[in-house]
Amino acid sequence: MRKVLLPALVIITASLLLIRLFYLQVIDDSFKLQSDNNAIKINYTYPERGYIYDRTGKLLVANQPSYDIMVIPRDVKKLDTVQFCKLLNITKEDFIKKIAKARVYSPLLPSVFLSQLNKVEYAGFQEKLRRFEGFYIQKRSLRDYQVNYGANVFGFITQVNEKTIEKNPYYKGGDLIGKQGVEESYEDILRGQKGVKYILRDKFNREIGSYKSGKYDTISKQGQDVTLTIDAELQKYGEELMINKRGGIVAIEPNTGEILALVTAPSYDPSILVGRQRSANYTKLYKDSIAKPLYDRGLLAEYPPGSPFKILTGLISLQEGVINDSIGFNCRHGFSYARGRFMRCHCSGGRVQLHRAIYQSCNTYFSSAYIKLINKYQDHGYAVDVWAKHLKSFGLGDFMGYDLPTGRKGKIPTSKLYNKTYAGWKWDGKTIVSNAIGQGEVLMTPIQLANFMATIANRGYFYTPHIIKKIEGTTIDKRFTTKHTTTIDRKYFDPIVSGMFDVYNRGTAAGLGAVGIEMCGKTGTAENFAKINGKRVKLQDHSIFVAFAPKDNPKIAIAVFVENGYWGARWAGPITTLMIEKYLNNKITRIDFEKRMLTGSLKSQYDKLLPQKQQDSIFRKRDSIEFAKKRIDSIAKQKKATIKKDSTKTN
């Protein structure tokens, strides 16, 4: 029996292998297509990417034809290198490097030799292509931007790297993929499906027809169009207002969570990342480590929120029962909170209650409320965690789950931090009182500021902010239509909203309204420190403003953050008013604000951060005083034309 067992196992194993080989080679030969088969040539057809529209149906991003020169190193023979290089305007050294790189990738498979030729370059090369064995033209589709703004919203497309190819077999060398913004978030939808055609070749490398009569061929499928929540005109206007400034603007529709504008400054024209100069331009943008035009400040920049945070301090204190509408605190323009140190206050002083504390931004009131809140429980660590839990119900201290590929969590401290920081010391509310006015360990991004303002506008709930409004043929993710309710009872929002309404009427933003819209807002100023030459230096404060409008049935919630912008009402406040009026009324009445914001510059503040040898940056040509002046002249001409037209109608 034992003598038979071993031969039987060998025979059975060999039989199974033969059967499997027969199946793979005769019955199912699809595996031939996945190998470097010399007899089969693979041609890809690339679809157009889906178009991108704004919320009103305005076309923002379309496509234009592009042509890549592909090479199969093994097939390159008898090449006139001098003529080839002259035709493509490249050096012989470039030619040698590119061929070597292609050979390393694969001597048998095609790879990109030179990408993104325009129509003129393509026509010149196509005419003489037959002379260059081993090279062929691959038609692709590049982006054609219909606007010169919104670069951070759109993102860009670039060639895939080896890591992406290894991770996702759909992509091959030379394929394009979306990076950053909507292009990255919705890559699978926008890219479509490329087609494949397998062509049989003879021993002389001549094409002799389709492999298996086209059995495995597929046709390309165009990418799906997407409609964004962005209002193109509001986005454009926001970027213009932020010329010669740094910071972010985020506007949200409160009752849907739709992002109306997502502005980062400085920015750049998206069209510079298209074509053969894309790589050089990207490098310039990437190397600008001072202005950081590729850095989306609306999503990534974490700042102390400053005085707008007092709104949250008030809400949590109301919910926890340590204050009410009638409780007041005496303000003498300074509040002693620990070891003889004082927190200055700029309100008019006297006994301050919640309503006036909001519209005059009283540090004393909110510091006193915060201390009572933390000292409410014998375990101060537990009290901090209760406070943090309320804040996190507003979407703070964590990624918000929006549909853009980049972001930061911000920071909401808990007892773990303070128990470690003050180990062995009996800390209490006075120790960490700076949190009360948004100057402690709390950090927030502009989109978090805007979202918490939308939550106030809704009196206690919000929808996850998102950039997608509609996808052709499908529905948007349910997470964007799911309501999130805070831990604060609805009844406590009314006194807060009332105080914010008076911020515009008789408070810290008095004079910023007067546009015929009932607006609720809050000014903010955040201290600003930076390391210069290894030293921590106090720089000009940041200017912050948050608002929503109208007061009842609000249509827009907004956060504006201007770096080194002095105080809230100086830069961020006027920009907020202009953005709200632009969106709700589609016209501007505060021409004085508009002129000052368009021509105003904070360049002198930012120059303090520059190295001695300042390099030119690609975005600065656009962010110039001349650009702003031209914009003002254009606005003036439009208004004159409108007045003349209205006068003619009247007559």
Side-chain angles (χ1 to χ4, degrees):
M1 184 67 181
R2 291 181 180 178
K3 292 181 180 180
V4 177
L5 181 61
L6 183 59
L9 286 174
V10 172
I11 293 170
I12 292 170
T13 302
S15 299
L16 290 173
L17 287 172
L18 288 171
I19 292 169
R20 181 61 176 165
L21 286 172
F22 178 80
Y23 174 77
L24 292 177
Q25 293 188 13
V26 179
I27 299 175
D28 181 6
D29 53 4
S30 62
F31 282 88
K32 290 181 181 179
L33 306 179
Q34 298 177 25
S35 65
D36 296 351
N37 196 318
N38 296 343
I40 300 172
K41 179 182 177 182
I42 303 174
N43 282 349
Y44 292 103
T45 54
Y46 290 87
E48 284 197 7
R49 288 179 76 86
Y51 283 23
I52 299 176
Y53 299 87
D54 90 328
R55 66 187 296 110
T56 67
K58 178 178 180 178
L59 179 62
L60 302 176
V61 185
N63 298 303
Q64 58 181 310
S66 170
Y67 308 90
D68 290 353
I69 297 178
M70 309 295 291
V71 62
I72 302 174
R74 189 206 61 171
D75 296 343
V76 177
K77 299 171 183 176
K78 299 178 183 180
L79 181 69
D80 185 341
T81 309
V82 174
Q83 184 187 22
F84 185 87
C85 292
K86 186 178 180 180
L87 185 62
L88 293 176
N89 193 27
I90 62 173
T91 65
K92 187 174 181 179
E93 290 74 17
D94 286 337
F95 174 85
I96 293 170
K97 287 179 182 178
K98 290 177 183 294
I99 288 291
K101 184 179 179 181
R103 189 171 282 112
V104 168
Y105 172 70
S106 173
L108 303 175
L109 295 177
S111 59
V112 176
F113 178 85
L114 196 63
S115 64
Q116 301 183 10
L117 274 67
N118 59 35
K119 290 180 181 179
V120 176
E121 293 168 327
Y122 161 71
F125 185 78
Q126 175 72 8
E127 197 174 295
K128 300 179 180 180
L129 179 61
R130 66 183 183 280
R131 302 180 186 178
F132 309 126
E133 285 188 69
F135 293 89
Y136 69 94
I137 295 290
Q138 177 68 68
K139 185 178 179 182
R140 301 185 194 272
S141 177
L142 291 182
R143 283 315 205 181
D144 184 13
Y145 295 97
Q146 309 299 300
V147 296
N148 65 351
Y149 50 86
N152 63 308
V153 174
F154 306 139
F156 55 90
I157 57 174
T158 186
Q159 285 188 21
V160 295
N161 54 35
E162 291 181 11
K163 188 176 180 181
T164 302
I165 294 171
E166 290 175 7
K167 189 176 179 181
N168 190 337
Y170 171 86
Y171 297 102
K172 307 297 179 185
D175 283 5
L176 300 175
I177 190 172
K179 288 291 183 184
Q180 299 183 11
V182 173
E183 296 282 16
E184 181 174 339
S185 292
Y186 292 95
E187 162 69 8
D188 292 351
I189 289 169
L190 289 167
R191 77 183 181 197
Q193 189 71 28
K194 63 187 175 188
V196 185
K197 188 173 184 179
Y198 300 97
I199 301 171
L200 199 61
R201 299 188 291 192
D202 63 16
K203 64 180 180 179
F204 299 107
N205 204 32
R206 295 175 301 195
E207 296 181 5
I208 57 175
S210 296
Y211 176 73
K212 292 287 183 181
S213 301
K215 177 182 177 182
Y216 298 105
D217 294 351
T218 60
I219 60 173
S220 62
K221 183 180 179 183
Q222 184 171 342
Q224 294 168 265
D225 296 342
V226 299
T227 299
L228 304 184
T229 61
I230 292 291
D231 183 291
E233 289 302 312
L234 190 66
Q235 178 75 24
K236 177 184 177 184
Y237 192 55
E239 291 192 21
E240 290 170 346
L241 293 173
M242 290 295 286
I243 289 174
N244 289 312
K245 307 167 193 69
R246 292 180 192 167
I249 303 174
V250 182
I252 295 174
E253 186 177 67
N255 64 346
T256 62
E258 294 179 354
I259 299 173
L260 302 172
L262 180 62
V263 175
T264 183
S267 188
Y268 59 93
D269 186 331
S271 65
I272 68 172
L273 295 186
V274 176
R276 290 178 66 179
Q277 294 302 310
R278 190 206 73 81
S279 181
N281 289 339
Y282 181 84
T283 300
K284 290 179 183 178
L285 293 170
Y286 180 79
K287 287 186 175 180
D288 193 337
S289 59
I290 302 299
K292 300 179 181 178
L294 290 173
Y295 182 73
D296 193 331
R297 285 168 165 86
L299 303 176
L300 291 170
E302 296 172 303
Y303 305 101
S307 290
F309 194 78
K310 294 173 183 175
I311 295 168
L312 294 169
T313 299
L315 281 169
I316 297 171
S317 298
L318 286 168
Q319 180 69 31
E320 289 296 314
V322 297
I323 64 169
N324 57 42
D325 291 358
S326 58
I327 286 179
F329 298 98
N330 290 322
C331 179
R332 296 185 178 87
H333 309 295
F335 180 77
S336 176
Y337 67 95
R339 299 186 179 183
R341 296 168 63 191
F342 287 84
M343 181 177 290
R344 295 184 179 276
C345 186
H346 47 255
C347 81
S348 58
R351 189 159 185 80
V352 183
Q353 295 174 317
L354 178 61
H355 186 77
R356 181 156 74 95
I358 294 172
Y359 73 73
Q360 287 194 345
S361 196
C362 180
N363 288 342
T364 299
Y365 181 93
F366 292 103
S367 299
S368 301
Y370 184 77
I371 290 171
K372 288 187 69 175
L373 174 66
I374 301 303
N375 293 347
K376 173 183 175 181
Y377 301 97
Q378 188 174 359
D379 183 346
H380 299 143
Y382 174 77
V384 167
D385 290 339
V386 169
W387 168 77
K389 183 179 178 182
H390 286 304
L391 292 174
K392 289 178 180 179
S393 75
F394 285 81
L396 305 177
D398 203 353
F399 297 110
M400 300 183 66
Y402 48 74
D403 54 341
L404 286 164
T406 189
R408 292 282 173 82
K409 295 172 67 173
K411 185 178 181 182
I412 300 298
T414 63
S415 61
K416 185 178 180 180
L417 172 66
Y418 296 122
N419 287 333
K420 182 179 179 181
T421 304
Y422 301 110
W425 188 31
K426 191 177 180 180
W427 59 273
D428 61 9
K430 292 179 181 179
T431 314
I432 57 174
V433 71
S434 294
N435 286 336
I437 60 171
Q439 284 290 171
E441 287 69 44
V442 177
L443 294 175
M444 293 170 64
T445 60
I447 194 170
Q448 288 176 328
L449 277 167
N451 187 62
F452 112 67
M453 194 47 39
T455 309
I456 304 297
N458 290 334
R459 278 65 166 177
Y461 68 89
F462 67 92
Y463 293 95
T464 300
H466 52 282
I467 205 83
I468 199 75
K469 188 173 181 68
K470 185 173 65 175
I471 301 172
E472 179 189 21
T474 60
T475 57
I476 66 170
D477 198 309
K478 288 183 178 180
R479 63 193 169 109
F480 302 133
T481 56
T482 301
K483 182 187 288 189
H484 303 279
T485 305
T486 70
T487 54
I488 308 298
D489 295 342
R490 180 181 173 85
K491 63 182 179 181
Y492 295 124
F493 286 88
D494 291 334
I496 297 295
V497 170
S498 177
M500 291 177 65
F501 180 65
D502 272 345
V503 167
Y504 272 104
N505 296 320
R506 49 177 173 161
T508 53
L512 291 182
V515 293
I517 301 170
E518 289 192 330
M519 296 186 285
C520 299
K522 184 72 190 73
T523 53
T525 305
E527 289 185 326
N528 176 26
F529 295 89
K531 275 191 176 181
I532 300 178
N533 299 324
K535 296 181 180 179
R536 189 170 185 262
V537 179
K538 174 75 166 66
L539 299 175
Q540 189 56 254
D541 293 340
H542 296 317
S543 175
I544 312 167
F545 204 97
V546 295
F548 65 86
K551 177 186 175 186
D552 300 312
N553 192 24
K555 299 290 190 298
I556 181 173
I558 187 169
V560 178
F561 204 108
V562 181
E563 294 180 8
N564 306 76
Y566 299 86
W567 58 89
R570 180 161 176 173
W571 291 103
I575 289 173
T576 301
T577 297
L578 291 168
M579 290 287 284
I580 289 174
E581 188 179 21
K582 176 73 173 178
Y583 182 68
L584 295 181
N585 292 346
N586 198 30
K587 65 178 182 179
I588 299 298
T589 58
R590 295 304 302 265
I591 305 301
D592 54 332
F593 286 172
E594 186 175 64
K595 184 175 181 180
R596 184 161 67 86
M597 294 302 106
L598 289 173
T599 58
S601 173
L602 289 168
K603 188 175 180 298
S604 62
Q605 294 297 327
Y606 307 137
D607 284 346
K608 296 175 183 178
L609 298 171
L610 290 172
Q612 290 182 344
K613 292 183 179 180
Q614 177 181 343
Q615 296 181 349
D616 287 337
S617 174
I618 198 164
F619 75 88
R620 291 195 180 101
K621 188 174 181 181
R622 181 168 175 257
D623 286 6
S624 63
I625 295 293
E626 288 72 22
F627 181 89
K629 287 180 178 177
K630 286 179 182 178
R631 170 64 181 151
I632 291 170
D633 291 341
S634 173
I635 291 170
K637 287 179 182 178
Q638 289 176 9
K639 286 177 178 173
K640 284 182 180 179
T642 302
I643 292 170
K644 187 176 180 181
K645 187 177 180 181
D646 292 343
S647 176
T648 304
K649 284 182 179 180
T650 304
N651 293 335

